[in-house]
Amino acid sequence: MGLRELVIDAWSWLNYKETLAPESARRTFPDLAGQWVPEGDLRRLAAYKTLVAYDQNQAGQLAAASGDEDGLDRRELGDPARLIDAAVGYLLGSEQKIVVPGAEHAEDEDPVEGAQAAAELQERLRAWAKKEQFLLRVQQAERCAVRCGDAVYALSWAPMKNRVLLRTYDPGWYFPEWDEGEQDIAEYPTRVHFAWGLPADPAKGLKERVRRITYELGPIRPATRSGADLGGAPVRETVLAEDDAPVLTAGDTLDVETGQITRVYPWAAAPSPFTCYLTDAEWVLDDLKGGRDVFTLPESKARYRTRSDGQVLDRLDLQVDFVPVVHIPNSIPDVGEHWGKSTLALVLQALDELAATDTDSASASATTGSPVIALAGARLPIDRTTGQPLPVKVKAGSVWELNEAGRMDTLDTSPQLAELRSRIDHLQDRIAANSRLTAAGLGLLDPTEVPSGYALQLALSPLDSLVGAMRLARVDKYAILLRMVQRLHQAGHVWPEGESLPAELSWGPPTPTDRTAVLTDVVTGVTKGVISLETGVRMLQDAGYPIEDAAEEIERIQKRAFEQAARLADATGDNAVVREYLGLPKADPGVPPVPLPPAGSPPAPGIGGRDDDGE
């Protein structure tokens, strides 16, 4: 690549591959050859395709398609997939939970304000996550993000199921539309497209097509309904009153002076003039002329699709004021960038070196296991038909008759094989270090060689920083996703109205924890009074001890803490406080109640008055 052609962007680390050039990309990947694929996205899409090839052990086939004659002989033993799976495992940790801050205080005797609402929301979100297989979707999306650098979630309301649907999309189908100068991680596009090609189906009479799903923020318009055009194709049409005036959607308000329509959403107090429109349509490729790409597909050639409830998806009003799409970057993007970076990015050339060394090692092991033998002065068998010596095969029990000066020499390639294996170990250590997954994290470190748990913790410190950065890039994204889930349920009139509460996805610890050391610290700290019992139980919970509810565990501990109860009794002298600490009911005073006569009744005989004898 000449100096004038040097390109520095989010995919510069792949410049050494010819597949990133536009002509080569369209030739190597036929699905990118369609004219609807934007020229500016070719590098990104080619990078995704290349990374998927490495993950699927098809880098050799990719090299062969790019013109490398030896590409098909390349040995690939799953090293890229191992890196991806390891990074995903450490990123997600041992478990993932949806957490609403404050929900843990809902069962306290004196709960803080909002704790009950937080607990109810947390229960609703977890019930939705179970029905929608949320954790499975997270696994799908995160593996794609680690591999390609990006992943995409899309949310939609399902009227038939009466809940929000969560889907993960291939990032190669994701085409955000930016205004000039606004492409940054802090900005959010007002129009997002998902587009992919559909093959021809001669049996059904279908030609090759492109499908595009568009989410777009725009001003609120009058109400529409499903209809059909003159040719019978499904479209949306404006609802008109008897006087041919447009009808507003229920709850909308028209400002007569400005002509602006506003709407108060269930989660907001102030009216909003914006809503999100959904369009889902197909275009026949033969109908696209004049360099039309995914951003400029003609509406006149569109064939709109219909939702399960019969609604035509032609700018359908979704009744929300946000685009229900969440982009997940694998890393913290550079300034002015929107896209993340793959975990394989900086070690891709090292993976090429490793595959080449594996290929050479396989060739060397073949000659080591079946060495090349040179015979001198041997009587070889003759083919009686041709009179030529027959090929000699080495097998167990073979005997060759040699002359007096005859000899047999073998080619020993074992030193070269040992050197190649040593180079493989060196490359694996280099990949582990440069990817920050570490040799210990990839299982390349012998546990018996680690002198202590502290030494292992130091060895894993680059991995901890890597996971911390990856989680930092995602924490706000999942908070936005869970807020969208709340609001879509509110828009569907399934969940109660009100301000959206913050919710987050909690990750498990990325690396193994020395549970014995944590337990020792907790026992010492609680006994010496330097940490509270609540903090100690939380530390044990984070270390992986099977504690489901911290408050319930604390209550169980206190019911058996008789020594602490005795010291509490000595300090306060109040048995009621001690019984409350132990979780016992209030004590019976042991004095039977005395029945008292009702007020105004005459005194009983013999009590403060005279008896019948006047005494």
Side-chain angles (χ1 to χ4, degrees), residues 9-91:
D9 58 8
W11 301 278
S12 300
W13 46 269
L14 204 54
N15 279 346
Y16 77 101
K17 291 283 187 182
E18 293 183 3
T19 54
L20 225 60
E23 300 80 8
S24 179
R26 294 186 186 276
R27 182 178 64 254
T28 306
F29 307 113
D31 49 346
L32 301 183
Q35 64 173 349
W36 63 271
V37 179
E39 189 74 19
D41 288 275
L42 270 178
R43 282 176 59 83
R44 176 173 68 92
L45 302 185
Y48 292 158
K49 292 285 187 180
T50 302
L51 291 167
V52 171
Y54 273 81
D55 183 26
Q56 300 293 336
N57 276 1
Q58 292 181 295
Q61 299 178 31
L62 178 63
S66 301
D68 186 355
E69 297 179 356
D70 299 326
L72 295 179
D73 297 330
R74 176 173 177 163
R75 287 297 186 99
E76 299 176 75
L77 305 180
D79 294 286
R82 183 182 64 166
L83 290 177
I84 294 170
D85 292 334
V88 173
Y90 289 120
L91 167 66

Side-chain angles (χ1 to χ4, degrees), residues 275-545:
T275 188
C276 182
Y277 296 100
L278 170 63
T279 302
D280 188 353
E282 295 179 3
W283 284 261
V284 177
L285 292 185
D286 293 341
D287 294 338
L288 302 181
K289 307 296 182 182
R292 297 281 190 170
D293 61 20
V294 70
F295 300 115
T296 59
L297 295 176
E299 294 185 6
S300 59
K301 302 293 184 178
R303 178 78 178 186
Y304 298 103
R305 299 172 71 94
T306 303
R307 202 168 63 177
S308 58
D309 60 347
Q311 292 287 349
V312 177
L313 300 180
D314 173 17
R315 292 182 62 84
L316 175 67
D317 189 347
L318 296 181
Q319 302 284 317
V320 294
D321 59 349
F322 56 88
V323 175
V325 175
V326 179
H327 166 245
I328 303 290
N330 181 53
S331 60
I332 300 174
D334 292 334
V335 176
E337 282 288 352
H338 177 72
W339 309 104
K341 183 179 291 185
S342 168
T343 300
L344 303 181
L346 299 182
V347 296
L348 204 63
Q349 294 190 49
L351 290 171
D352 287 337
E353 290 285 338
L354 184 58
T357 306
D358 284 332
T359 303
D360 294 340
S361 178
S363 300
S365 63
T367 57
T368 300
S370 299
V372 178
I373 298 176
L375 291 175
R379 297 179 181 179
L380 302 178
I382 303 297
D383 188 339
R384 296 181 179 180
T385 304
T386 62
Q388 299 295 324
L390 292 173
V392 178
K393 296 182 179 180
V394 180
K395 59 182 179 180
S398 298
V399 176
W400 291 291
E401 185 177 352
L402 304 179
N403 296 330
E404 292 182 359
R407 73 177 186 276
M408 179 177 67
D409 298 322
T410 60
L411 179 63
D412 183 11
T413 59
S414 58
Q416 291 83 356
L417 179 59
E419 181 63 27
L420 288 170
R421 289 179 175 174
S422 176
R423 177 171 171 76
I424 289 174
D425 294 338
H426 166 72
L427 287 172
Q428 287 180 334
D429 291 338
R430 190 75 173 267
I431 290 171
N434 291 350
S435 66
R436 290 196 292 168
L437 289 172
T438 71
L442 292 176
L444 302 175
L445 184 65
D446 187 355
T448 60
E449 297 179 358
V450 181
S452 65
Y454 182 69
L456 178 61
Q457 186 176 358
L458 288 177
L460 290 172
S461 57
L463 175 59
D464 291 336
S465 65
L466 171 66
V467 172
M470 293 171 70
R471 291 183 176 182
L472 180 60
R474 291 161 167 80
V475 59
D476 290 336
K477 299 290 186 174
Y478 280 103
I480 292 173
L481 186 147
L482 293 174
R483 183 163 67 243
M484 289 181 178
V485 171
Q486 297 179 57
R487 294 184 173 182
L488 284 170
H489 279 101
Q490 289 177 320
H493 305 289
V494 175
W495 290 5
E497 298 182 1
E499 183 180 357
S500 302
L501 297 179
E504 58 190 28
L505 183 63
S506 174
W507 317 85
T511 55
T513 305
D514 190 347
R515 295 171 60 178
T516 303
V518 174
L519 180 59
T520 302
D521 292 342
V522 170
V523 172
T524 303
V526 173
T527 304
K528 299 298 183 180
V530 295
I531 62 175
S532 65
L533 180 59
E534 290 79 4
T535 301
V537 170
R538 192 174 297 111
M539 290 172 60
L540 295 177
Q541 197 173 24
D542 293 339
Y545 282 87

Side-chain angles (χ1 to χ4, degrees), residues 151-298:
V152 185
Y153 291 106
L155 298 164
S156 61
W157 178 253
M160 307 301 293
K161 295 184 177 181
N162 211 30
R163 72 167 188 266
V164 173
L165 297 183
L166 176 66
R167 295 292 180 264
T168 57
Y169 280 95
D170 186 328
W173 296 356
Y174 174 60
F175 298 92
E177 193 166 345
W178 301 93
D179 293 334
E180 186 176 359
E182 290 187 358
Q183 186 172 348
D184 186 82
I185 187 175
E187 300 293 337
Y188 205 87
T190 58
R191 185 183 294 109
V192 170
H193 306 286
F194 292 99
W196 63 94
L198 298 175
D201 189 347
K204 296 182 180 179
L206 298 176
K207 297 182 179 180
E208 193 174 1
R209 294 146 293 146
V210 58
R211 180 178 176 184
R212 189 186 73 180
I213 300 174
T214 301
Y215 295 90
E216 179 182 4
L217 283 180
I220 299 175
R221 303 185 305 172
T224 60
R225 63 188 175 191
S226 299
D229 60 12
L230 298 178
V235 294
R236 296 198 69 81
E237 56 187 18
T238 303
V239 179
L240 301 177
E242 294 182 356
D243 57 353
D244 292 337
V247 177
L248 299 182
T249 303
D252 291 354
T253 303
L254 174 63
D255 189 330
V256 180
E257 295 182 358
T258 63
Q260 187 180 65
I261 302 175
T262 58
R263 178 183 301 158
V264 178
Y265 291 100
W267 52 86
S272 171
F274 298 104
T275 188
C276 182
Y277 296 100
L278 170 63
T279 302
D280 188 353
E282 295 179 3
W283 284 261
V284 177
L285 292 185
D286 293 341
D287 294 338
L288 302 181
K289 307 296 182 182
R292 297 281 190 170
D293 61 20
V294 70
F295 300 115
T296 59
L297 295 176

